Amino acid sequence: MKKSILIGMALVLAFLVAGCSKDGDEVAEFNKPALYWYQRIGNSITSGNMDKADAYYISLKSEHMRSPLMQTAMMMLAVAHMDNEEYLLAGYYLDEYNKRFGGEKNREYIEYMKLKAAFLGVKDVYKDQKLIMDSINGAKIYLLRYPGSEYAPLVNTILVRLYMSQYLLNENIAALYERTGKPEAAKLYREKNKGSMIEMADITPPERGIIGEIFD
């Protein structure tokens, strides 16, 4: 909840900064048709200026909350932020989309996209342990809720990668405790791995980090 509030405040700040700045002959603009803001969002995404894209979304939202273009704009921004490796912002737009437009027909896809964004947002397994645990729980719930989903194989892959990261993390911490003369602490972390569906023999430690990339 706190992250959503902070992201929302950041978007408003981006709007204020964009509105107060000049870019060539461009000045602050107000009271434009929904299509105008929508086109500006698309153009900003295409040019790689995500700050402006976010600011134009705020304009669209504040001036045309009920516009049918809002649905497409939210999804467009979610995907663009994901492509830009800005996974918190991607998750924010997906949450907003779910609140307003989520239904039986699209909820399965939106929840998969949220899982994917959370998974790709794991950058440091030591700092992101809660995100890993939350993502594992989220993946389990997804598979129970949508057992026949076309995205189930990808969610299973995400889940296995997360289990691998958790296993390696526990093993690395155990090894650290052993090196520092704390065998009891090392034993505690190895005990955590005993109930895992993953074994060390199943894992080839990646060169570029524990999580790795599965969506290339």
Side-chain angles (χ1 to χ4, degrees):
M1 182 64 72
K2 290 182 179 179
K3 286 184 179 179
S4 295
I5 293 172
L6 289 172
I7 291 170
M9 292 174 63
L11 290 176
V12 172
L13 181 60
F15 167 67
L16 292 173
V17 171
C20 294
S21 64
K22 293 186 178 181
D23 184 8
D25 296 329
E26 185 180 338
V27 294
E29 298 174 289
F30 304 95
N31 299 321
K32 299 292 184 180
L35 182 60
Y36 176 88
W37 296 123
Y38 181 79
Q39 289 173 335
R40 285 300 182 100
I41 291 170
N43 291 339
S44 298
I45 290 173
T46 301
S47 65
N49 193 332
M50 293 306 300
D51 287 340
K52 280 195 173 181
D54 292 330
Y56 289 135
Y57 166 76
I58 294 293
S59 295
L60 175 63
K61 181 179 180 180
S62 61
E63 295 183 10
H64 305 282
M65 172 68 80
R66 300 185 185 279
S67 170
L69 294 173
M70 283 288 292
Q71 184 172 2
T72 310
M74 285 181 186
M75 184 55 64
M76 189 164 60
L77 283 159
V79 172
H81 278 296
M82 194 173 292
D83 289 343
N84 211 36
E85 298 186 2
E86 295 169 341
Y87 302 114
L88 281 177
L89 280 167
Y92 168 81
Y93 282 110
L94 290 168
D95 282 336
E96 290 291 294
Y97 186 98
N98 236 353
K99 289 174 188 174
R100 290 201 57 191
F101 307 110
E104 290 184 9
K105 292 183 178 179
N106 60 12
R107 194 175 295 277
E108 179 181 321
Y109 172 71
I110 298 303
E111 290 186 13
Y112 158 69
M113 289 290 285
K114 284 182 63 180
L115 274 174
K116 178 180 174 181
F119 169 73
L120 293 174
V122 177
K123 297 299 183 185
D124 186 325
V125 292
Y126 295 98
K127 295 178 181 178
D128 296 331
Q129 292 180 49
K130 185 178 185 304
L131 179 57
I132 290 172
M133 292 175 64
D134 289 346
S135 297
I136 287 173
N137 290 332
K140 287 179 177 178
I141 291 170
Y142 185 95
L143 293 171
L144 286 173
R145 188 174 292 165
Y146 309 109
S149 170
E150 64 181 293
Y151 308 107
L154 288 171
V155 174
N156 268 313
T157 303
I158 287 173
L159 188 57
V160 170
R161 289 298 180 98
L162 289 168
Y163 277 135
M164 285 182 177
S165 69
Q166 202 172 50
Y167 191 102
L168 284 175
L169 176 63
N170 290 335
E171 181 60 33
N172 288 344
I173 293 174
L176 176 63
Y177 277 127
E178 279 185 342
R179 289 197 300 272
T180 55
K182 298 177 180 178
E184 290 301 317
K187 182 181 177 181
L188 178 65
Y189 276 90
R190 292 216 164 92
E191 286 290 329
K192 292 183 179 182
N193 281 341
K194 283 190 176 179
S196 175
M197 62 177 288
I198 301 295
E199 295 182 2
M200 196 63 196
D202 300 322
I203 305 173
T204 301
E207 295 179 0
R208 293 189 298 163
I210 291 177
I211 290 295
E213 298 177 4
I214 68 170
F215 292 99
D216 285 347

